[in-house]
């Protein structure tokens, strides 16, 4: 009995040590980010600043470095996210409600499309954008970002939509509602947590995307914050670490705020209790 307890104790200690190691791998970079943002002499080492200073934030809080790129990112990623959610809902609805022998191959094809690396398709996309005059346009870049996130968004949306009972839609049809009205007024409100999950996922993936806007946007005034972060990397390996850390904190703020705004929706389940009784 004792050897068994000793073995279980060793396994538990090993699991706890592994979890602590993973937590440290995430905590140390975040700690460096916070400390370096208020350190005038920040470097690669994690250290306590000799004196706290807001100089790094003052240096990056300018129209050229932060405000204009952040506004560009909000317009680009926000518009692309709304387009992705709208298209994913319209595409997921028939996949969830109608059974066909082509549904599974189609869903597997969507899942395969999410595995394609973005670098493998950027060359033909760039050539296409040049031909149809979409290069260096915010709406063209937003359209491509939405298209890139659409396959996985459809897959997620369809799985959440499967949890909404069809009986609720049939009741709406009896009252004279159409398909689009049922989708917008019955299905989507009931799968609010699912829509929130897809929204956060798409926005985060677009917000951190560097390669696509770097390739498709040429005018400096249109570049988002994910590209303008290059301004902190100078020649000959010189990096303004303090300003980079301050900008990174500001750059992460919209994503954190978005998650905080819809955290209550993420924490709740589908409000279907008793909805199909009677």
């Amino acid at each position: 009995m004792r050897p068994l307890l000793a073995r279980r104790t060793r396994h538990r200690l090993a699991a706890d040590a592994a979890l602590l190691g993973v937590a440290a791998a995430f905590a140390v970079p975040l700690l460096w980010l916070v400390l370096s943002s208020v350190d005038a002499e920040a470097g690669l080492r994690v250290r306590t600043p000799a004196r706290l200073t807001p100089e790094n934030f003052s240096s990056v809080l300018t129209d050229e470095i932060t405000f204009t790129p952040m506004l560009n990112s909000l317009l680009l990623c926000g518009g692309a996210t709304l387009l992705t959610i709208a298209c994913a809902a319209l595409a997921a609805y028939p996949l969830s409600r109608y059974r066909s022998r082509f549904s599974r191959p189609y869903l597997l094809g969507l899942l395969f499309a999410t595995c394609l690396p973005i670098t493998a398709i950027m060359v033909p996309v760039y050539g296409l954008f040049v031909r149809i005059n979409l290069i260096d346009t915010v709406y063209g870049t937003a359209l491509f970002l939405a298209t890139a996130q659409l396959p996985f968004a459809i897959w997620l949306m369809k799985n959440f939509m499967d949890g909404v009972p069809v009986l609720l839609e049939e009741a709406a049809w009896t009252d004279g509602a159409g398909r689009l009205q049922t989708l917008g007024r019955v299905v989507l409100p009931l799968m609010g947590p699912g829509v929130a999950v897809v929204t956060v996922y798409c926005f985060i993936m677009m917000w951190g995307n560097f390669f696509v806007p770097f390739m498709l946007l040429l005018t400096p005034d249109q570049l988002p914050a994910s590209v303008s972060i290059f301004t902190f990397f100078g020649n000959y390996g010189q990096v303004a670490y303090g300003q980079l850390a301050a900008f990174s904190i500001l750059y992460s703020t919209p994503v954190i705020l978005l998650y905080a705004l819809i955290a209550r929706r993420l924490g709740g389940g589908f409000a279907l209790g008793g909805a199909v009784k009677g």
Side-chain angles (χ1 to χ4, degrees):
M1 190 66 178
R2 288 184 177 181
L4 179 60
L5 292 176
R7 189 181 307 111
R8 290 180 177 176
T9 302
R10 288 195 300 268
H11 290 170
R12 185 173 64 254
L13 291 176
D16 292 342
L19 291 175
L20 287 175
V22 173
F26 283 93
V28 171
L30 292 177
L31 181 63
W32 175 88
L33 196 68
V34 174
L35 294 178
S36 297
S37 66
V38 292
D39 188 358
E41 300 177 354
L44 284 176
R45 293 187 298 110
V46 179
R47 66 168 192 173
T48 304
R51 65 181 182 88
L52 301 180
T53 175
E55 293 178 1
N56 294 322
F57 288 96
S58 301
S59 300
V60 301
L61 286 175
T62 63
D63 289 336
E64 181 182 359
I65 297 178
T66 300
F67 295 122
T68 299
M70 290 284 280
L71 178 60
N72 293 338
S73 291
L74 289 173
L75 293 175
L76 179 65
C77 300
T81 300
L82 292 177
L83 180 61
T84 303
I85 297 302
C87 294
L90 293 174
Y93 184 71
L95 290 173
S96 175
R97 292 300 183 253
Y98 301 104
R99 296 293 179 260
S100 171
R101 60 192 181 97
F102 299 106
S103 296
R104 182 174 176 79
Y106 182 76
L107 288 171
L108 292 177
L110 288 175
L111 192 61
F112 172 76
T114 64
C115 303
L116 294 175
I118 200 70
T119 53
I121 60 176
M122 277 309 300
V123 173
V125 166
Y126 185 87
L128 175 64
F129 271 47
V130 170
R131 286 181 175 271
I132 61 179
N133 295 323
L134 283 180
I135 199 72
D136 198 25
T137 60
V138 175
Y139 63 88
T141 306
L143 180 62
F144 179 71
L145 286 173
T147 305
Q149 295 301 323
L150 190 57
F152 196 69
I154 294 175
W155 183 275
L156 282 178
M157 193 77 76
K158 187 262 180 188
N159 288 335
F160 285 115
M161 202 170 288
D162 288 342
V164 179
V166 183
L167 292 176
L168 299 177
E169 296 178 63
E170 293 176 349
W173 296 337
T174 303
D175 293 335
R179 297 283 182 178
L180 289 178
Q181 289 178 318
T182 304
L183 175 62
R185 297 182 180 181
V186 177
V187 178
L188 291 180
L190 288 175
M191 52 176 289
V195 176
V197 168
V198 180
T199 301
V200 171
Y201 171 80
C202 293
F203 186 82
I204 290 177
M205 296 301 294
M206 296 175 189
W207 187 261
N209 194 308
F210 164 80
F211 192 62
V212 171
F214 179 74
M215 292 292 296
L216 299 182
L217 294 175
L218 308 177
T219 305
D221 292 339
Q222 294 183 343
L223 294 178
S226 59
V227 179
S228 66
I229 199 172
F230 254 143
T231 58
F232 303 105
F233 294 85
N235 296 327
Y236 308 108
Q238 297 178 349
V239 182
Y241 289 108
Q243 296 180 16
L244 176 62
F247 181 83
S248 299
I249 291 177
L250 296 173
Y251 179 58
S252 305
T253 302
V255 175
I256 297 174
L257 291 178
L258 175 64
Y259 178 78
L261 287 174
I262 64 176
R264 186 174 301 176
R265 299 288 289 175
L266 290 175
F270 292 141
L272 302 179
V276 295
K277 293 181 180 180

